[in-house]
Amino acid sequence: MDPKIHPSFWNELYQRKLNIYKLNTDQQNIIMNYRYNIIDISSFNDSLQGIPGKLINFNTIEDFNNYDYNKLLKSISTDILSTDLSQPLNLFKFILFTFADLKSFKFTYKLYLPIFQGKYNLEKKNYNTYSLHKQIIKQNIDIFANPLFIYHNDNIKSFEEGWSERYNKNTYIVINGMTKRLYNLLAYLNKNSTNKNKINIIVLNGNAWTYQKLLSKIDFTNSNKSKYYILSTNESMEYNFNNLFKFETINLSNILDKKTLMDQAINLNLDLMKWRSWPNLNLTLLSEKKCLLLGSGTLGCSVARNLMAWGFKNITFIDNGRVSLSNPVRQSLFEYNDNNKLKAECASEMLKKIYPGINSSWYNLSIPMPGHQLYNYKDLNKIEELIQDHDICFLLTDTRESRWLPIVLSNYYGKALINIALGFNSYLIDHNLNKKSACYFCNDIVAARNSMKNRTLDQQCSVTRPGLSMIASALGTEILVSYLNGKEIPCHVRGSLSDFTSKNIETSKFINCTACSDNILSEYGKRGIDFINDVCNDSNGYILENLSGITNLMSMQLDII
């Protein structure tokens, strides 16, 4: 039976090339299962018993085609005939040459398994193997783990232990497995036997043979019957490998499930970063993080796409709006047919269409805001629950006051928060990843309040330059990825498209902040929903300004003036 390569081997090679070998082309140890004559995923575990082999994986198809195979093949063939008696499986060693085209899931390969076939002086004889099989059972011999051994006077010995008795008429060299492997044993005996005495051989398929060392030169012949075997030309070990290789190709895309292929394809570009550009990039960490997006509009769609491109697999949307006809051209997760549908639902469902492996959910919720009377306590409770259940919050809402509650909750519960805000020409990105960084409200001395009153249409809509949201969302996502991978990040990033500038600004927390100061967080801890209710019903922002100390601070400033 010719050797077979199972698809699981190629799938494992794909993963190892991508994540372990990378650009390394050193020979790798692999094994072939002796019982089934197969190379599969277990072949990479060279601690298992099996036929030893080498894997050489090339980085380019040009290297694969131009490699000097003759030199290596001569070497391995010479090694086989010089096998250590303690390692008889080395008589059957093999080598596998491969080129893995990871982008198209195609593998070009050639399996080289030397079989030294020749014209030998073999005398077939009758032999009843009953006693041999009885002794195999008695001594509990695994004929697949130990396919080559010595049988002498009703006793089984290892190949090494019984080698000195090979000329005894009551001694048999026993080989298990496909008959073709007998030729390697004969070639080994021919090279390593020094006299004309006969040697008895049993092949465990019912045949027994007597082999005698030839006095004259053995006439080895080439065989083209199998695409897997190359045979040496003569006893003096002169080789002719011309026209040997007809490479085989396997395409895993014809075998694997499309979702599995997409999983691997999506990770390909990310994993390739680890080869040279970012060796310590922790993609597993990114995939495990749970991200909560508060706002599913222009910023929310762009942030979600960036997170998904980085390999984040858990994304939740919160929004209470509906898709309008003006949205699809600016908000990348909506299309024409989504008109008047819930934004959060459409965004989540579109992510799943783009990448079925994403874990995305959505909630149609209204964020309680200072200066806006609170009616829906269920939404408040759910938002509290979701922030606690996620690792990272992205604050991507339209109005100033809608940012207050998520900042309070994320700081109180110790959750990472990245805030992105847009003007017409400008953008701002801040975060609480560095615990000393200022929040969105730290640079204000006016509490959040209802900013939606008396607004004209251009003030009610998010009127920004179309490219601004993509720039800001990309920077916000990159800040998060850099932070999670231990890189330094700026406290604030402010940019403008009016002069195409971007500035990193170092800021510190404001002890009298109306959102993240200790007094505010402490009051929320004591009163919870009642505190939120009072703030929402306060149209002037007095509660927050008094509690944070802003009122006293301003009074002191007036006294100085």
Side-chain angles (χ1 to χ4, degrees):
M1 182 175 65
D2 287 347
K4 304 296 181 184
I5 304 179
H6 192 270
S8 64
F9 174 85
W10 301 117
N11 194 45
E12 180 66 14
L13 177 58
Y14 180 102
Q15 299 298 334
R16 286 174 177 257
K17 170 65 176 174
L18 193 58
N19 300 308
I20 301 175
Y21 304 153
K22 300 177 183 176
L23 297 171
N24 184 2
T25 58
D26 292 345
Q27 296 183 26
Q28 307 295 331
N29 293 326
I30 56 175
I31 61 169
M32 182 190 297
N33 184 293
Y34 193 97
R35 180 190 296 265
Y36 301 110
N37 219 31
I38 193 170
I39 300 172
D40 60 11
I41 189 173
S42 66
S43 296
F44 290 96
N45 185 355
D46 59 1
S47 65
L48 298 177
Q49 190 77 27
I51 301 172
K54 295 291 185 181
L55 167 69
I56 299 181
N57 186 68
F58 297 90
N59 285 323
T60 67
I61 191 63
E62 290 79 12
D63 289 343
F64 181 81
N65 290 329
N66 298 329
Y67 186 71
D68 183 7
Y69 293 99
N70 285 17
K71 182 178 179 180
L72 184 61
L73 297 181
K74 286 182 180 180
S75 174
I76 191 174
S77 299
T78 303
D79 288 346
I80 287 175
L81 296 187
S82 303
T83 293
D84 187 328
L85 291 173
S86 65
Q87 302 292 331
L89 280 177
N90 284 343
L91 282 175
F92 318 120
K93 66 169 57 174
F94 66 96
I95 189 165
L96 178 61
F97 303 98
T98 63
F99 166 67
D101 184 350
L102 303 186
K103 201 167 186 179
S104 61
F105 301 96
K106 291 182 180 179
F107 298 85
T108 304
Y109 70 96
K110 182 60 183 181
L111 176 63
Y112 169 73
L113 198 160
I115 298 293
F116 299 97
Q117 189 171 355
K119 296 177 180 178
Y120 293 97
N121 183 14
L122 291 176
E123 175 188 343
K124 192 169 184 179
K125 59 187 296 186
N126 295 321
Y127 183 83
N128 188 340
T129 59
Y130 174 78
S131 60
L132 170 59
H133 284 287
K134 183 178 179 181
Q135 195 63 28
I136 288 173
I137 295 172
K138 182 178 179 180
Q139 293 187 219
N140 195 26
I141 302 297
D142 184 346
I143 58 175
F144 294 103
N146 302 283
L148 191 60
F149 52 88
I150 303 292
Y151 179 55
H152 175 70
N153 291 336
D154 283 341
N155 187 36
I156 293 175
K157 299 180 180 181
S158 70
F159 192 67
E160 180 182 22
E161 183 183 11
W163 177 252
S164 62
E165 299 170 348
R166 62 190 181 281
Y167 299 123
N168 190 302
K169 67 178 181 179
N170 295 320
T171 298
Y172 292 84
I173 296 177
V174 183
I175 181 170
N176 178 45
M178 65 180 189
T179 309
K180 289 178 181 178
R181 288 185 177 137
L182 170 64
Y183 292 117
N184 282 23
L185 173 60
L186 293 175
Y188 182 81
L189 294 175
N190 192 69
K191 181 176 182 295
N192 296 282
S193 297
T194 58
N195 59 47
K196 296 183 291 182
N197 291 345
K198 293 182 178 181
I199 296 176
N200 297 315
I201 299 171
I202 296 175
V203 180
L204 287 180
N205 61 359
N207 293 327
W209 309 83
T210 296
Y211 160 78
Q212 185 174 12
K213 170 78 174 180
L214 294 184
L215 295 177
S216 60
K217 185 176 179 180
I218 293 179
D219 180 18
F220 286 86
T221 59
N222 281 327
S223 170
N224 297 317
K225 294 180 180 180
S226 172
K227 61 187 177 183
Y228 290 109
Y229 306 108
I230 175 62
L231 314 174
S232 65
T233 57
N234 55 51
E235 187 186 20
S236 61
M237 301 302 293
E238 295 175 0
Y239 301 94
N240 179 9
F241 295 112
N242 295 332
N243 302 317
L244 164 62
F245 285 96
K246 294 181 180 179
F247 301 120
E248 307 290 327
T249 300
I250 184 171
N251 189 344
L252 281 192
S253 63
N254 298 327
I255 302 172
L256 297 177
D257 173 74
K258 285 186 177 180
K259 290 183 179 179
T260 301
L261 288 173
M262 188 170 189
D263 282 337
Q264 295 185 351
I266 285 173
N267 291 332
L268 176 61
N269 285 343
L270 297 173
D271 284 316
L272 289 178
M273 294 180 187
K274 299 167 68 174
W275 287 21
R276 301 180 197 263
S277 304
W278 199 342
N280 297 323
L281 176 62
N282 190 340
L283 295 173
T284 302
L285 179 64
L286 305 188
S287 68
E288 293 172 347
K289 293 296 182 182
K290 298 168 67 177
C291 299
L292 179 64
L293 276 54
L294 294 105
S296 306
T298 306
L299 284 171
C301 289
S302 295
V303 167
R305 292 299 297 258
N306 282 312
L307 288 173
M308 190 164 58
W310 263 113
F312 288 86
K313 289 184 167 56
N314 303 285
I315 300 175
T316 303
F317 293 92
I318 291 179
D319 206 294
N320 70 335
R322 292 181 177 272
V323 179
S324 67
L325 289 173
S326 65
N327 291 155
V329 295
R330 295 180 298 111
Q331 301 177 7
S332 59
L333 295 180
F334 306 135
E335 53 190 13
Y336 172 77
N337 292 330
D338 293 330
N339 183 48
N340 205 38
K341 295 179 182 178
L342 294 173
K343 276 191 170 183
E345 179 182 12
C346 287
S348 178
E349 293 304 312
M350 182 58 76
L351 282 192
K352 295 174 185 176
K353 288 181 182 179
I354 296 169
Y355 174 38
I358 198 78
N359 176 28
S360 181
S361 55
W362 61 275
Y363 295 89
N364 183 42
L365 303 172
S366 297
I367 300 174
M369 299 180 285
H372 298 252
Q373 191 168 359
L374 180 60
Y375 296 104
N376 194 333
Y377 290 94
K378 290 183 179 180
D379 284 7
L380 172 58
N381 290 332
K382 189 63 181 178
I383 290 172
E384 286 181 310
E385 177 187 326
L386 288 171
I387 287 178
Q388 292 179 68
D389 188 49
H390 286 73
D391 303 303
I392 302 151
C393 302
F394 276 88
L395 192 42
L396 312 165
T397 55
D398 291 332
T399 64
R400 179 173 179 266
E401 61 267 29
S402 63
R403 299 172 187 271
W404 178 80
L405 180 62
I407 290 176
V408 172
L409 295 178
S410 62
N411 280 278
Y412 181 81
Y413 291 112
K415 299 296 182 177
L417 180 136
I418 295 178
N419 174 66
I420 305 175
L422 302 178
F424 168 67
N425 265 325
S426 60
Y427 59 84
L428 163 69
I429 304 165
D430 60 63
H431 57 80
N432 68 355
L433 304 176
N434 178 344
K435 301 306 179 182
K436 296 181 180 180
S437 297
C439 81
Y440 181 74
F441 291 97
C442 278
N443 295 320
D444 283 346
I445 56 172
V446 177
R449 61 194 67 182
N450 192 338
S451 63
M452 302 298 292
K453 294 180 179 179
N454 301 318
R455 282 193 165 194
T456 59
L457 181 61
D458 64 320
Q459 294 173 322
Q460 295 174 30
C461 298
S462 299
V463 180
T464 66
R465 293 176 64 155
L468 197 67
S469 64
M470 299 177 188
I471 295 171
S473 61
L475 286 173
T477 307
E478 296 298 326
I479 286 174
L480 173 63
V481 172
S482 294
Y483 168 77
L484 292 176
N485 280 277
K487 293 185 176 291
E488 291 188 10
I489 55 173
C491 294
H492 280 209
V493 179
R494 291 179 181 267
S496 174
L497 292 185
S498 62
D499 56 1
F500 298 98
T501 58
S502 179
K503 296 179 181 179
N504 296 341
I505 302 172
E506 299 301 315
T507 60
S508 300
K509 281 183 176 293
F510 180 34
I511 61 172
N512 299 114
C513 177
T514 57
C516 71
S517 65
D518 290 343
N519 287 346
I520 300 297
L521 299 181
S522 177
E523 189 69 11
Y524 170 74
K526 293 175 183 177
R527 300 181 57 216
I529 291 179
D530 291 337
F531 170 59
I532 302 300
N533 184 63
D534 290 346
V535 171
C536 290
N537 292 327
D538 178 12
S539 60
N540 298 310
Y542 292 154
I543 293 176
L544 291 177
E545 291 176 2
N546 290 336
L547 184 61
S548 65
I550 288 287
T551 302
N552 289 337
L553 182 64
M554 295 303 297
S555 177
M556 291 171 60
Q557 293 295 322
L558 290 173
D559 290 343
I560 292 174
I561 294 174

